[in-house]
Amino acid sequence: MSPLRMRSAALRLLAVLLGVTGAAPLAQATVAPLTLEEVLDSVRERHPQVAVARQGVASAEAELLSAKGGFDTVLKTKGVYVPFSYYPHERLDAVVEQPLPLGGMRLFGGYRLGQGKFPTYYGQYETLSSGELRAGLELPLWRNGSIDKRRADISKARLRKEMTGTTLAGDRLELQREAAYHYWDWVAAGQQLGIVSAQYGLAVTRHEQLARRAAAGDIPQIEHTENERVLLEREAELIAARRKLEQAALKLSLYLRDTEGEPLVVSPSRMPGGLPVPNAVLNAQLDTQLEQALRQRPELRELALQRELFQVDARLARNQAAPAVDLGVSVAKDLGAGPANLRPTELQASLTLDVPLQARGARGQRQAAEAKRAAVEAKTRLARDKVATEVRDTLSALHAAYERVGLARSAADVARRLARGELTRFEQGATSLLFVNLREQAAVDAELKEIKALVDYHRAVIDLRAATASQEPAPLLDATGPQLPGDMLETGSATQGMTGG
């Protein structure tokens, strides 16, 4: 049988094994192959873990809104009515307060009304008939001046919001790495099934031919029995390869989801043409990759934000240990009729001093914050070392995987030529079918190793993209071919098959 006819028979057999009916090929011919970009888009938009991280961001935004509530405008009012007393009277007091982030200042404006009889020691409650209007401000000059709890809470809430953003980025990055792994495993499983199916189809065809030759006395009966053994063995391998493809599709479905977010088990009809074959190693300079990784890795950014958060705590604690020196200025004016001594406009200035003699609470908080900040700095040094080591390791793995791909392709080509030569010798009666089967099995093993080497190469590219926090690795990794740079990949499948000429 010619190589072209053998490959066509293998493809027909593979279609039957994958459940393609007689009417389906025409309809499925228009189905686009599944691309890595499609899988990564699904992860970024619909994976439950990404949804969890997004809710963390939403929660942090709500906490920031809550922290900003410290600067909400406050209305306070109080009314007192004393109808039965030696000094019957009624009082009403209302004030609007507005804290400002500028220097810890607090503005206020109010109105009060006091009518009736007041003892001399409560004379401040009395107003003219239309009441008193007042306004003023309070300005902290030392403690709570440059920072106070309200402003510290807002700063920390903003930092926590950024931290949840880095958590989201880190989760998405790791999920994309896992999804890409499973995508290439699925593509590789499809390629492996194709190789095993071709071998099984070859054994089926050869079994019929050997049966006729053995019946005619052209070859010994044991040759036909030997092929029967190989046929059963290859059928078992075919079942195992089909199971491996089904398992890979199920694992991939955890990352490939439909519009409703449900796992989508991809059909074998969407299998790409093959694993892209690199003909030049990825040009990745160590210094450039290190700089990018140290700048973009989410865990490093999160540690930097943690350090800033503890710096805010330490700054607040140092401020709270200082004396409180508060300046107050207010103006008041009574309106209406009444005693003459209440008519003038009143201007009042005050200075309040509050000195903590021990300030153990603030000093303890400052020391705790500084210790936490020092711990984060140590963690950051270790994390940077780990990131640098990871980048160097992934670059080393990438170059080694590229070299292995070249060697595996060469080894597979040699094994296929040996298998074809052994088959020719068998047809000429110079060898037995046992040696043909051994050569063919060696060729299959070489092709499977070639696929393994290609998967390792693409995993190395994925690892490098993850190590440098590249968010969009798909254009370099797609299995469909056209989106890949021409100097990186050859056109066609990863393997041409043992009978592929």
Side-chain angles (χ1 to χ4, degrees):
M1 179 178 289
S2 68
L4 181 60
R5 291 181 61 191
M6 180 60 67
R7 186 177 299 175
S8 299
L11 290 175
R12 287 195 301 270
L13 176 61
L14 179 59
V16 172
L17 291 170
L18 295 178
V20 181
T21 63
L26 182 60
Q28 293 186 350
T30 60
V31 177
L34 179 66
T35 64
L36 180 57
E37 178 61 22
E38 183 178 343
V39 176
L40 298 183
D41 282 342
S42 174
V43 169
R44 289 189 288 260
E45 299 300 328
R46 295 183 288 274
H47 196 279
Q49 188 61 39
V50 174
V52 171
R54 286 197 182 112
Q55 291 305 312
V57 174
S59 176
E61 290 176 347
E63 291 177 0
L64 176 58
L65 178 62
S66 176
K68 290 179 178 179
F71 290 97
D72 286 350
T73 304
V74 178
L75 170 63
K76 300 178 181 179
T77 183
K78 180 180 180 180
V80 177
Y81 178 52
V82 184
F84 305 106
S85 172
Y86 187 77
Y87 300 101
H89 62 274
E90 57 271 354
R91 305 194 311 267
L92 175 65
D93 193 356
V95 62
V96 176
E97 297 180 354
Q98 178 60 65
L100 299 177
L102 178 62
M105 185 184 303
R106 183 179 71 90
L107 303 179
F108 64 89
Y111 170 81
R112 69 184 183 89
L113 177 66
Q115 298 294 310
K117 294 181 179 181
F118 296 92
T120 55
Y121 48 85
Y122 281 159
Q124 74 272 17
Y125 289 145
E126 186 177 6
T127 67
L128 296 182
S129 60
S130 297
E132 177 194 82
L133 294 175
R134 69 184 186 277
L137 63 86
E138 294 179 356
L139 178 63
L141 302 179
W142 198 338
R143 187 198 302 171
N144 296 326
S146 60
I147 188 173
D148 58 17
K149 187 176 185 305
R150 284 188 292 250
R151 282 172 285 170
D153 287 344
I154 291 178
S155 296
K156 291 193 292 184
R158 286 200 177 103
L159 291 171
R160 290 192 182 99
K161 178 185 174 183
E162 289 189 55
M163 288 170 63
T164 58
T166 61
T167 300
L168 172 60
D171 288 348
R172 285 177 51 169
L173 192 63
E174 185 58 31
L175 287 170
Q176 287 180 85
R177 184 213 295 256
E178 295 173 2
Y181 274 9
H182 288 293
Y183 173 79
W184 290 122
D185 288 344
W186 174 72
V187 175
Q191 297 298 301
Q192 292 166 356
L193 180 57
I195 293 173
V196 174
S197 298
Q199 288 298 98
Y200 177 73
L202 180 63
V204 169
T205 303
R206 183 179 294 158
H207 197 64
E208 299 172 356
Q209 296 172 347
L210 293 177
R212 291 192 297 269
R213 293 181 63 183
D218 188 25
I219 59 173
Q221 181 63 35
I222 195 172
E223 298 287 3
H224 181 264
T225 305
E226 165 65 17
N227 192 75
E228 184 177 0
R229 179 194 65 81
V230 171
L231 181 63
L232 295 173
E233 187 177 86
R234 291 181 181 178
E235 184 176 4
E237 293 174 351
L238 180 62
I239 294 173
R242 187 169 65 241
R243 160 62 187 150
K244 186 174 182 180
L245 177 60
E246 292 171 354
Q247 183 183 44
L250 289 171
K251 290 182 178 179
L252 182 61
S253 69
L254 294 177
Y255 303 90
L256 180 64
R257 294 174 177 267
D258 59 22
T259 55
E260 301 299 324
E262 296 298 324
L264 180 63
V265 180
V266 62
S267 169
S269 62
R270 299 200 62 192
M271 182 68 63
L275 287 160
V277 180
N279 57 19
V281 69
L282 176 64
N283 184 19
Q285 298 297 326
L286 176 60
D287 292 341
T288 302
Q289 300 298 320
L290 277 175
E291 180 183 356
Q292 181 177 351
L294 295 175
R295 185 178 64 253
Q296 296 185 182
R297 282 288 286 265
E299 62 267 39
L300 295 179
R301 177 57 182 159
E302 184 173 355
L303 287 170
L305 292 170
Q306 285 183 10
R307 183 177 182 276
E308 292 182 35
L309 190 146
F310 293 133
Q311 283 180 328
V312 172
D313 285 337
R315 183 185 172 199
L316 176 63
R318 283 194 298 268
N319 180 270
Q320 294 303 299
V325 182
D326 298 336
L327 174 66
V329 178
S330 64
V331 61
K333 175 64 176 177
D334 280 75
L335 304 174
N341 64 320
L342 297 178
R343 293 183 183 278
T345 300
E346 180 181 341
L347 178 63
Q348 178 178 313
S350 65
L351 186 66
T352 303
L353 178 63
D354 181 358
V355 181
L357 298 180
Q358 294 172 305
R360 287 179 293 184
R363 287 191 291 114
Q365 292 173 359
R366 176 179 59 82
Q367 292 172 7
E370 290 176 349
K372 291 177 181 178
R373 182 181 61 186
V376 169
E377 290 173 350
K379 288 181 180 179
T380 301
R381 291 194 298 271
L382 178 59
R384 290 174 65 88
D385 292 342
K386 286 183 176 181
V387 167
T389 301
E390 183 180 350
V391 171
R392 291 187 175 93
D393 183 59
T394 54
L395 280 172
S396 173
L398 181 66
H399 286 82
Y402 173 74
E403 294 177 2
R404 285 180 53 224
V405 167
L407 293 173
R409 285 174 62 78
S410 298
D413 181 65
V414 171
R416 284 191 291 266
R417 285 190 281 115
L418 284 172
R420 288 193 296 270
E422 196 69 32
L423 178 61
T424 301
R425 293 183 68 228
F426 173 73
E427 292 172 348
Q428 295 172 351
T431 187
S432 67
L433 186 59
L434 174 62
F435 289 102
V436 173
N437 290 330
L438 291 175
R439 294 291 190 188
E440 289 177 350
Q441 186 60 46
V444 169
D445 292 342
E447 290 181 343
L448 295 179
K449 289 179 180 178
E450 180 185 357
I451 291 176
K452 175 68 165 54
L454 283 166
V455 170
D456 289 344
Y457 174 81
H458 288 292
R459 283 196 169 202
V461 175
I462 294 166
D463 288 339
L464 180 60
R465 295 293 182 174
T468 56
S470 300
Q471 296 296 324
E472 303 296 337
L476 186 62
L477 297 176
D478 212 324
T480 56
Q483 294 183 352
L484 295 162
D487 61 343
M488 286 297 300
L489 302 175
E490 295 179 359
T491 305
S493 302
T495 58
Q496 297 298 324
M498 191 195 70
T499 60

